[in-house]
Amino acid sequence: MTDPLGDLLTRIRNGQQARKDSVTSPASKLRARVLDVLQREGYIRGYREEPVGGHNGLRIELKYFEGQPAIKHLARVSKPGRRIYSGAKELPRVRNGLGITIVSTPKGVLSDAEAREQNVGGEVLAEVF
C-alpha cells in the first residue's frame, strides 16, 4: 500500500456513505494521531485499538447528526506523489473556517487552528468539513 492515510480516509468516507456504525482499518501511529484530531474536533465518536486477523487494527466509531454524516467532505491534500507543505501563517482555511485542515507538524499531528495557535507549520495531510 503506497498511501495508508489515503486508505483510512477512504474507509471512513465509504463507511459513512453506507451508513455504517463503525469501520475498521489497520493500525499505525499516524492513523491514530489523525483519528485523535478528528475526535477532538467532533467529526467521529471515537476509536479503539483491537486485534483484526492477527494484526492490530483500529475500530472507528462514525458519527451522524439527524441521520446525516458528520463529515460532509474528507479529502487528502498532500499525496505520496506531490507533498504539500505550509507555514504557520499560510495554513489553508477550509470553508472560511467552518472546516479543518489536518497538519503534520514537528509538535505532532494538529488541526490548523492548533497549529496556528502554536505557530508551527508542516505537511498538510487532509481537509475535513
Side-chain angles (χ1 to χ4, degrees), residues 68-106:
Q68 295 299 313
I71 300 173
K72 307 263 185 292
H73 172 81
L74 182 62
R76 185 86 155 98
V77 176
S78 182
K79 299 180 172 127
R82 181 166 188 252
R83 300 292 186 185
I84 308 291
Y85 297 94
S86 181
K89 306 255 188 297
E90 297 86 38
L91 284 170
R93 291 196 185 275
V94 179
R95 292 285 169 116
N96 208 16
L98 292 176
I100 65 164
T101 303
I102 300 174
V103 186
S104 177
T105 70

Side-chain angles (χ1 to χ4, degrees), residues 1 6 33 35 88 92 104 112 117:
M1 184 182 314
R33 299 299 74 85
L35 291 172
S104 177
D112 57 343
E117 186 179 295

Side-chain angles (χ1 to χ4, degrees), residues 16-111:
Q16 286 200 318
Q17 248 181 347
R19 300 285 194 255
K20 300 277 187 190
D21 289 334
S22 65
V23 293
T24 59
S25 172
S28 77
K29 288 181 184 177
L30 177 63
R31 291 178 194 210
R33 299 299 74 85
V34 168
L35 291 172
D36 284 337
V37 171
L38 289 175
Q39 186 176 2
R40 267 197 315 267
E41 298 291 330
Y43 288 105
I44 61 172
R45 278 194 281 151
Y47 74 95
R48 65 181 181 279
E49 209 167 303
E50 62 182 35
V52 177
H55 299 286
N56 280 343
L58 299 168
R59 176 159 306 276
I60 305 150
E61 302 292 327
L62 302 176
K63 188 174 183 179
Y64 297 91
F65 181 71
E66 295 179 358
Q68 295 299 313
I71 300 173
K72 307 263 185 292
H73 172 81
L74 182 62
R76 185 86 155 98
V77 176
S78 182
K79 299 180 172 127
R82 181 166 188 252
R83 300 292 186 185
I84 308 291
Y85 297 94
S86 181
K89 306 255 188 297
E90 297 86 38
L91 284 170
R93 291 196 185 275
V94 179
R95 292 285 169 116
N96 208 16
L98 292 176
I100 65 164
T101 303
I102 300 174
V103 186
S104 177
T105 70
K107 295 187 178 182
V109 178
L110 306 171
S111 71

